[in-house]
């Protein structure tokens, strides 16, 4: 067993992850491309993302206890995620890391994860809404 602190601990624990999720969702609320992909009530999604991220980075396992395996690709499959959505999501998440005040080394580890995870959620080579937006 390692005495090395987890990324969860390095980031500042639950309060840091709460700040991260709040900063991310504040950006999503203002984004005309991403906002339609989210339900009217953002509360449950915020809570699930908060619990998932804490667990993924070494914190409490509440997410899996409540919802089972994350199955991220399956959970995102109903939504059109192409390059435009991926890029917008990633930009908001990376900005939220900075806004939440997450320092090194957790900052770099989290950025690497999100940079890897964002393309994995894509399910369309391009989204129809992005094409319409570009034409308009």
């Amino acid at each position: 067993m390692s005495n090395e602190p987890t990324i969860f601990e390095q980031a500042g624990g639950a309060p840091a992850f709460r700040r991260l999720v709040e900063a991310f969702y504040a950006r999503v609320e203002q984004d005309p491309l991403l906002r339609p992909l989210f339900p009217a009530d953002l509360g449950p999604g915020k809570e699930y993302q908060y619990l998932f991220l804490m667990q993924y980075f070494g914190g409490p396992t509440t997410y899996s206890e409540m919802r089972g395996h994350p199955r991220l690709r399956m959970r995102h499959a109903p939504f059109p995620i192409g390059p435009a959505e991926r890029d917008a999501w990633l930009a908001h998440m990376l900005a939220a890391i900075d806004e939440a005040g997450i320092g090194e080394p957790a900052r770099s580890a989290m950025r690497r994860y999100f940079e890897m995870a964002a393309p994995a959620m894509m399910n369309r080579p391009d989204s129809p809404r992005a094409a319409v937006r570009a034409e308009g």
Side-chain angles (χ1 to χ4, degrees), residues 14 21 26 42 46-47 56 58 71 91 95 112 116:
V21 169
L42 296 175
K46 285 181 183 183
E47 190 63 16
Y56 184 84
R71 300 185 310 257
R112 281 191 302 276
M116 177 270 309

Side-chain angles (χ1 to χ4, degrees), residues 117-131:
M121 296 302 111
M122 288 178 56
N123 54 29
R124 304 232 162 72
D126 198 7
S127 69
R129 288 194 341 268

Side-chain angles (χ1 to χ4, degrees), residues 32-33 80-86 125-136:
L33 179 64
I81 303 172
E85 292 82 7
R86 173 206 58 209
D126 198 7
S127 69
R129 288 194 341 268
V132 168
R133 196 176 68 162
E135 291 170 9

Side-chain angles (χ1 to χ4, degrees), residues 20 35 43 49 89 109:
L20 173 68
R35 184 60 183 98
Q49 185 182 61
W89 185 95

Side-chain angles (χ1 to χ4, degrees), residues 44-116:
K46 285 181 183 183
E47 190 63 16
Y48 295 146
Q49 185 182 61
Y50 165 71
L51 295 172
F52 168 75
L53 292 175
M54 285 197 306
Q55 176 175 309
Y56 184 84
F57 289 110
T61 59
T62 310
Y63 180 91
S64 288
E65 292 163 13
M66 287 176 56
R67 302 198 72 195
H69 189 281
R71 300 185 310 257
L72 292 179
R73 282 192 51 83
M74 182 199 80
R75 292 185 196 276
H76 289 81
F79 309 104
I81 303 172
E85 292 82 7
R86 173 206 58 209
D87 292 348
W89 185 95
L90 182 59
H92 293 319
M93 187 56 78
L94 297 180
I97 290 171
D98 292 338
E99 184 178 325
I102 296 171
E104 295 296 349
R107 179 181 181 275
S108 289
M110 292 172 75
R111 289 178 64 91
R112 281 191 302 276
Y113 169 73
F114 294 128
E115 288 165 353
M116 177 270 309

